[in-house]
Structure formats: C-alpha cells, structure tokens
C-alpha cells in the first residue's frame, strides 16, 4: 500500500489530479472506473474531486486494503419465564455451537448471582459473590444452575468464539439475613425530594451476613449504613419509601430526576457514597470478569444509581481487565435526547438500549397503514448510532411484564430486518423470539421461525454502503452494496399493507446477477439490469431479503433452526 507520504511524492496519476498517487491506493481504480461509466462521467479535470470523495467517503477498509470487519450480533440468552429448574446453563451449553453457526457473537446472560428467592431471576439480588456455589436462600444453585454448570458454559463459549456479557444488578440488595434499627424519614412516593414524615426509628431488613459463603471472595458485610433507603418497616409492617438518615447520608445527586430523584427503586438501596461499598463492588466487577472470562456487562437500571460511581466502576474494570470490555446500560426512557445527554455525562463509556426505537416498533405495528418512514424518528440509533443497542423485545417488555411493549407478530420480521441488516446500531435479538416464551403468555418462536436466517444474513451479507428507498409510506426498502471482500450485498423491501415492490440500485458490479429471497416468502428471481437496478418485491404485511442466488453461504439457507431448547437438558 502507498503511504500518505508516498502519495505526496508520487508523479501524476491516472486520474490526473494535481496531488498524484491516489490511483495506487487499493480499490481506487475500481471505484474510479465504475464512476467513469456513469452519465456525465468524470474526466481528468475533476479527478481531484474524486480523490477527495474516496478519502472522505470510502470506508477505511478500501484505503487500507484490510479485510472488512465482521458484523457482530448480541443475543439475549433468557426470557423472564424460563423454568426455575436450575438447568438453564446446561441448555445454553448445548445451544452455543448452533448460535455461533447462525452468526451470534456474544450472549447476554441473566443475572446469575444468588437471588433472595430460589425462583428469583436475580434482579432480587442477595449476594453478588454467590454464583450458585453456596447453600444460601434455600438452595445451592441459582434458578439458572450451579456455578459448575456456569463455568462449563464459559468454557464452551470460549471454545466457540462467543463472548459472554453478565447482567449486573448493582442498584440494590434483597433478602437480608436480619433486621437492623436505623433512623429514617418517609418521603413522598411521587417526589422523593419531599419528606412525608418527621424522623423516627424503624426496623428494616438491612443486615446481610452471607452465612453460607462466609468471607470467601469478599469479607464485606452489609448493614444499615451501607444503604440509602428501604421500603419496609418490620416493627409496624408498614410499606413506604424510607430515606435512611445519618452522617453523609441522602439520595445520590447524580441520578435521573424521575420522581424528583430516581435513586430509590426497590428493596435495600445501596449507598455508593460509602467507601466500603465502593471498594467491594469495584472488587466484584474485576473478580467476576476474571472468574468467568467475561467480555462485557449489561448494567441494570443505570439511571437509578450514582453516575459518578458508575464511571469509576467502569474505569476500574477496564484498567484491570482490558479496555475492550463492553458495557451497555438499561436506561429505559422514551426520550432519546435525554439518553444522549446521559451518554454525554458518562463520557460515552457506555451503550444504551434504544427504547424509543422499540416504542416506535410497537406503535407502528398497532396502527393501521402506519407510515413506515417514521420508524427511526427520535430514536437513539438515529441520534447516536454508535451507542445504540437495538432490540425488538426483551425480558422487561415481553407480555405480562411491567413495561410490556407489544410488537404485533406480523411486524417482528420487519423490525428485526431493520435492526439486523442496516449499518447503524448493535442488534440484540431476544431469546423469546428465537425459542418461544413459557408461562402464562406462552408463545411460539416469532418471525415464522426465520429469526436465525435474518441473523445469519447479517453476518454474511449486510455490508457496504447503504441507500434507503422511502417514497411510499407503506412500502420501504434499502440496499447494502457490499465491500471489496464481502461483495454480495443485499436488498430488503417490506410492507405493512399489501404486496409491495421497489426498483432499487444494488450497483453495476451486480449487473446480470440473479437474486432470490433468502426467507423464501417471495418467490421468483430478480435479474439485475446493466445499470445495477432490480425490481424487488415482498408479500403483503411482510418482508423479503434478496441476495444473489449463488452468493457465498446461500447453501446455508434456510437455516431450519431447531428451537426446541427445552429437550436439551
């Protein structure tokens, strides 16, 4: 490759620009020759413009000659109603090779620390350091399985090149071992900054001794002074929001303003102004990362605990375990601007789940003849795509949950196509959409069983420049034109009304190729004309993803993904 310095010294190049040498950059001649074929083609006089276009617009892979980086997909590896049979880690062990084969690179695991209840999902967190190793809270294993099973999952994931992200619940603790007396003041449940009583003494569940674990991994015990609030007075059995009083006590000032001050959410609220708490939770982050070989974290309820401490926790973790540790926070809001402001305050050390996009999916799916062109309006992925983790459903928004956000079944393949096949955002498909849901709202896998095919299409074909076709409110499309080493590209067209079709340009480099729908929902083939255009169709209220019929990897479609996970363990 020609270095920038060599470019400056080179003699006149073939495009005729005054700063010669650009045509020796890998890929330049191909791009230049293609552009010469366009109407009003470039000549030597505007070669300078073309060089500027390549330097500014062509991705770094073409300038460097380096392979195009693979697309990554994060998979949420659980749903709320997974059976409490302590076999989930074992089931995931069996699924890891299959998930890798369809293009999953990282799995978001549930919060597998010991919960207050044997059937608790882990958001009712009791002991951060008990991963199913100690006999506490009624059993040794967690709902998800034993620590031995978890370590086996970590081993198999590493062997298959899949990273594991841990769901860290750092806001509170639950299931205390004993009550302790402390002075409190009740606060207004709608405005936590307003006192609703005079100070008085309560008997709160605030003593955490961890008798089954003892001092292994950490000798820190938790008492009333390590918390800022609680919600139950054992002395009179009264439920309320109690702010704990004492030296240097009070709600954190670096939290969201929901309810006046969002510090208190539930259970015994951890006080991150206490130095012993800070040290213990920082130690835990490093310990569990090394213990399990983690590659990232999902931080639960980040707007409810100290931003200052969260920044310190992330810095300490990355200093000790590597700068590439991925962190995504749960900041559930309908206001993408508020989320962007939070990211600014956190120096963009995080990603966030794009809840405004999920809200758009839900609203569009329930509105007859909705305008699909508005799908990305006021979303995090449109404002800050690098920091957006995109979802269609998760454990909090699935049917029956507190923030249930229903997306109609017909719309899910459209929504997944929009998060998986476009260049913006980091997509996170949901366990319940791939394997189905259990419990009162049991459901079969979504997307007609084709979610795995869409994930694989992302891995194989969703590369290169992107162009949107948004002329029709009820039928939209986009193309990805491929890169120098991932050449296939794709064309995606979708409708929320009747059958649709859009003439789209996939590029002259694809002229003469025959493309078919990898999902098999739209029959026939499209032949790309000499100008690089094709007329791409989709069925009514559906989506089609078109790729060259003989593209590398086409023999892997349909994936016929086996979603019967519960027979594996």
């Amino acid at each position: 490759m020609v270095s920038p310095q060599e470019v400056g010294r080179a003699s006149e190049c073939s495009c005729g620009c005054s700063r010669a040498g650009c045509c020796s950059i890998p890929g330049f001649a191909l791009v230049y020759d293609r552009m010469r074929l366009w109407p009003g083609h470039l000549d030597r006089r505007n070669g300078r413009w073309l060089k500027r276009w390549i330097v500014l617009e062509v991705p770094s892979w073409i300038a460097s000659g380096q392979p195009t980086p693979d697309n990554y997909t994060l998979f949420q590896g659980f749903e709320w109603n997974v059976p409490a049979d302590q076999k989930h880690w074992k089931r995931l062990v069996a699924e890891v090779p299959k998930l890798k084969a369809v293009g999953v690179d990282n799995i978001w695991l549930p919060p597998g620390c010991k919960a207050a209840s044997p059937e608790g999902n882990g958001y009712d967190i009791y002991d951060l350091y008990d991963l199913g190793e100690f006999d506490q809270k009624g059993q040794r294993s967690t709902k998800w399985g034993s620590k031995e099973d978890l370590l086996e999952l970590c081993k198999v994931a590493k062997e298959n090149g899949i990273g594991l992200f841990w769901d860290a619940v750092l806001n509170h603790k639950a299931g205390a071992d004993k009550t302790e007396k402390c002075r409190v003041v009740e606060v207004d449940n709608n405005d936590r900054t307003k006192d609703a009583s005079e100070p008085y003494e309560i008997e709160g569940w605030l003593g955490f001794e961890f008798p089954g674990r003892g001092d292994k991994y950490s000798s820190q015990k938790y008492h009333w002074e390590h918390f800022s609030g609680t919600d139950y007075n054992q002395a009179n059995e009264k439920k309320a929001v109690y702010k704990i009083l004492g030296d240097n006590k009070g709600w954190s000032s670096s939290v969201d303003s929901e309810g006046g001050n969002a510090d208190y959410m539930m259970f015994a609220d951890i006080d991150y102004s206490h130095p012993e708490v800070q040290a213990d939770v920082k130690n835990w982050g490093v310990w569990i990362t090394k213990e399990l070989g983690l590659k990232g974290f999902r931080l639960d309820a980040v707007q409810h605990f100290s931003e200052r401490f969260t920044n310190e926790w992330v810095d300490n973790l990355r200093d000790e375990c590597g700068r590439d540790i991925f962190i995504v926070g749960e900041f559930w809001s309908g206001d993408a601007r508020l989320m962007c402001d939070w990211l600014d305050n956190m120096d963009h050390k995080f990603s966030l789940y794009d809840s405004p996009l999920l809200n758009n999916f839900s609203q569009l799916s329930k509105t007859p003849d909705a305008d699909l062109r508005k799908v990305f309006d006021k979303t995090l992925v449109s404002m800050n795509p690098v920091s957006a983790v995109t979802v269609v459903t998760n454990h909090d928004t699935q049917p029956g949950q507190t923030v249930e956000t229903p997306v109609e079944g017909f719309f899910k393949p459209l929504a997944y196509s929009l998060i998986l096949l476009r260049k913006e955002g980091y997509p996170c498909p949901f366990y319940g959409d791939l394997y189905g849901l259990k419990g009162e709202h049991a459901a079969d896998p979504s997307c007609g069983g084709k979610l795995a095919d869409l994930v694989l299409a992302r891995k194989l074909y969703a590369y290169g420049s992107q162009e949107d076709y948004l002329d029709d409110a009820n039928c939209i499309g986009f193309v990805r034109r491929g890169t120098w080493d991932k050449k296939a590209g794709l064309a995606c067209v979708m409708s929320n009304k009747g059958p649709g079709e859009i003439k789209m340009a996939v590029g002259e480099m694809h002229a003469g190729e025959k493309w078919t729908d990898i999902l098999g929902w739209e029959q026939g083939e499209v032949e790309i004309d000499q100008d690089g255009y094709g007329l791409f169709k989709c069925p009514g209220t559906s989506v089609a993803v078109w790729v060259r019929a003989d593209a590398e990897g086409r023999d892997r479609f349909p994936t016929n993904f086996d979603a019967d996970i519960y027979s594996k363990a």
Side-chain angles (χ1 to χ4, degrees):
M1 176 181 171
V2 178
S3 71
Q5 292 77 16
E6 290 169 325
V7 168
R9 293 195 299 266
S11 60
E12 182 181 34
C13 63
S14 59
C15 71
C17 66
S18 59
R19 297 186 65 182
C22 60
C23 292
S24 60
I25 297 175
F28 181 96
L30 173 63
V31 176
Y32 180 73
D33 288 343
R34 290 290 180 190
M35 294 187 73
R36 287 178 60 227
L37 297 175
W38 293 359
H41 67 268
L42 299 167
D43 57 26
R44 292 171 66 88
R45 290 174 299 177
N46 54 20
R48 182 197 297 267
W49 175 87
L50 176 55
K51 179 180 178 181
R52 176 176 172 79
W53 179 82
I54 285 185
V55 171
L56 294 180
E57 301 296 335
V58 176
S60 59
W61 52 262
I62 203 167
S64 65
Q66 296 299 310
T68 305
D70 278 352
N71 288 328
Y72 273 58
T73 298
L74 170 63
F75 176 68
Q76 180 174 358
F78 64 101
E79 57 107 351
W80 192 265
N81 296 311
V82 167
D85 57 7
Q86 305 171 34
K87 295 181 179 180
H88 193 63
W89 299 145
K90 291 181 178 179
R91 285 189 285 265
L92 288 182
V93 166
E95 293 301 297
V96 161
K98 290 167 49 184
L99 292 170
K100 182 65 176 181
V102 298
V104 169
D105 303 281
N106 295 294
I107 300 175
W108 157 19
L109 298 179
C113 302
K114 185 62 60 71
S117 162
E119 296 187 354
N121 282 337
Y123 298 101
D124 55 335
I125 181 133
Y126 167 68
D127 185 358
L128 284 169
Y129 291 92
D130 184 355
L131 306 180
E133 183 178 2
F134 306 101
D135 187 2
Q136 300 187 118
K137 296 302 163 186
Q139 64 186 29
R140 181 175 182 272
S141 295
T142 68
K143 167 182 174 173
W144 312 105
S146 68
K147 184 176 181 181
E148 292 81 2
D149 294 339
L150 175 58
L151 290 172
E152 177 65 14
L153 171 59
C154 296
K155 173 177 173 288
V156 172
K158 183 177 181 180
E159 291 171 350
N160 282 270
I162 283 186
L164 298 179
F165 295 1
W166 192 259
D167 198 327
V169 183
L170 306 181
N171 176 75
H172 53 264
K173 287 188 179 294
D177 299 304
K178 63 178 184 178
T179 61
E180 294 185 349
K181 293 180 179 181
C182 60
R183 287 181 60 77
V184 302
V185 61
E186 294 179 29
V187 299
D188 188 327
N189 196 40
N190 296 314
D191 185 349
R192 309 291 170 75
T193 64
K194 295 181 179 179
D195 293 349
S197 75
E198 294 297 318
Y200 67 99
E201 186 177 81
I202 68 166
E203 187 178 341
W205 287 94
L206 298 169
F208 291 78
E209 300 286 350
F210 315 118
R213 175 170 61 81
D215 292 340
K216 189 171 184 180
Y217 307 128
S218 170
S219 60
Q220 180 65 47
K221 314 304 178 186
Y222 282 74
H223 303 288
W224 71 266
E225 63 267 25
H226 298 116
F227 301 99
S228 58
T230 189
D231 61 358
Y232 187 72
N233 180 6
Q234 182 64 43
N236 61 7
E237 300 183 345
K238 181 179 179 180
K239 293 182 178 180
V241 178
Y242 301 98
K243 182 172 66 174
I244 296 174
L245 303 178
D247 293 341
N248 301 313
K249 303 296 285 183
W251 301 136
S252 170
S253 60
S254 60
V255 294
D256 189 48
S257 60
E258 178 187 357
N261 179 288
D263 189 358
Y264 187 83
M265 185 172 70
M266 62 177 66
F267 301 122
D269 187 72
I270 296 175
D271 182 358
Y272 281 107
S273 69
H274 198 296
E276 292 178 353
V277 172
Q278 296 176 35
D280 188 55
V281 177
K282 286 178 182 178
N283 176 71
W284 173 80
V286 174
W287 170 78
I288 194 172
T289 300
K290 293 180 177 180
E291 187 83 357
L292 301 182
L294 299 175
K295 298 300 182 183
F297 286 86
R298 180 253 190 195
L299 297 188
D300 185 59
V302 290
Q303 74 266 46
H304 291 284
F305 61 95
S306 169
E307 293 176 8
R308 171 200 53 77
F309 173 76
T310 306
N311 258 327
E312 294 176 5
W313 187 85
V314 172
D315 286 341
N316 181 72
L317 179 69
R318 288 177 171 159
D319 286 345
E320 295 291 331
C321 300
R323 307 308 298 177
D324 59 345
I325 296 290
F326 182 83
I327 310 286
V328 56
E330 181 213 14
F331 188 118
W332 217 250
S333 170
D335 186 343
R337 175 49 55 196
L338 181 65
M339 299 168 76
C340 288
D341 290 344
W342 187 87
L343 288 165
D344 289 343
N345 292 337
M346 300 298 287
D347 299 323
H348 293 266
K349 297 172 183 174
F350 280 76
S351 294
L352 293 176
Y353 295 101
D354 194 348
S355 46
L357 177 62
L358 174 51
N359 292 340
N360 285 359
F361 287 153
S362 177
Q363 189 62 35
L364 290 171
S365 76
K366 295 184 293 183
T367 305
D369 301 338
D371 189 341
L372 295 177
R373 297 171 297 185
K374 297 181 178 180
V375 66
F376 293 112
D377 286 0
K378 300 179 180 179
T379 59
L380 183 61
V381 75
S382 67
M383 296 181 184
N384 193 339
V386 174
S387 298
V389 174
T390 50
V391 297
V392 177
T393 316
N394 70 17
H395 66 288
D396 284 326
T397 69
Q398 71 180 78
Q401 290 304 103
T402 53
V403 287
E404 178 179 350
T405 311
V407 177
E408 295 297 321
F410 87 89
F411 199 84
K412 283 195 173 183
L414 285 67
Y416 273 115
S417 296
L418 289 166
I419 70 169
L420 287 165
L421 305 181
R422 295 174 63 80
K423 64 182 181 180
E424 300 89 0
Y426 184 15
C428 181
F430 176 50
Y431 178 100
D433 284 328
L434 186 64
Y435 294 110
L437 299 173
K438 292 288 190 180
E440 181 181 350
H441 301 276
D444 292 333
S446 75
C447 302
K450 294 291 187 178
L451 178 53
D453 297 67
L454 290 169
V455 174
L456 183 58
R458 171 178 174 79
K459 176 64 71 176
L460 296 178
Y461 307 126
Y463 298 95
S465 63
Q466 178 175 290
E467 184 176 358
D468 296 333
Y469 290 80
L470 306 174
D471 294 332
D472 188 322
N474 302 117
C475 182
I476 63 173
F478 60 92
V479 298
R480 303 294 303 276
R481 296 199 172 100
T483 65
W484 72 274
D485 59 337
K486 296 182 184 292
K487 301 177 181 179
L490 62 82
C492 179
V493 59
M494 62 185 66
S495 170
N496 66 343
K497 203 172 180 181
E501 62 179 29
I502 307 176
K503 185 177 182 181
M504 300 191 290
V506 295
E508 294 175 7
M509 69 288 288
H510 297 294
E513 295 176 358
K514 292 179 173 58
W515 290 34
T516 58
D517 175 22
I518 63 165
L519 301 176
W521 293 341
E522 182 65 41
Q523 301 303 306
E525 63 182 23
V526 173
E527 182 168 350
I528 310 304
D529 68 22
Q530 64 180 3
D531 296 321
Y533 282 84
L535 183 62
F536 298 98
K537 300 180 179 182
C538 71
T541 59
S542 189
V543 61
V545 180
W546 298 83
V547 177
R548 194 181 79 232
D550 60 349
E552 184 176 357
R554 279 303 302 264
D555 58 334
R556 296 166 69 179
F557 295 89
T559 63
N560 295 317
F561 188 84
D562 179 8
D564 184 19
I565 189 172
Y566 294 104
S567 67
K568 306 300 190 300

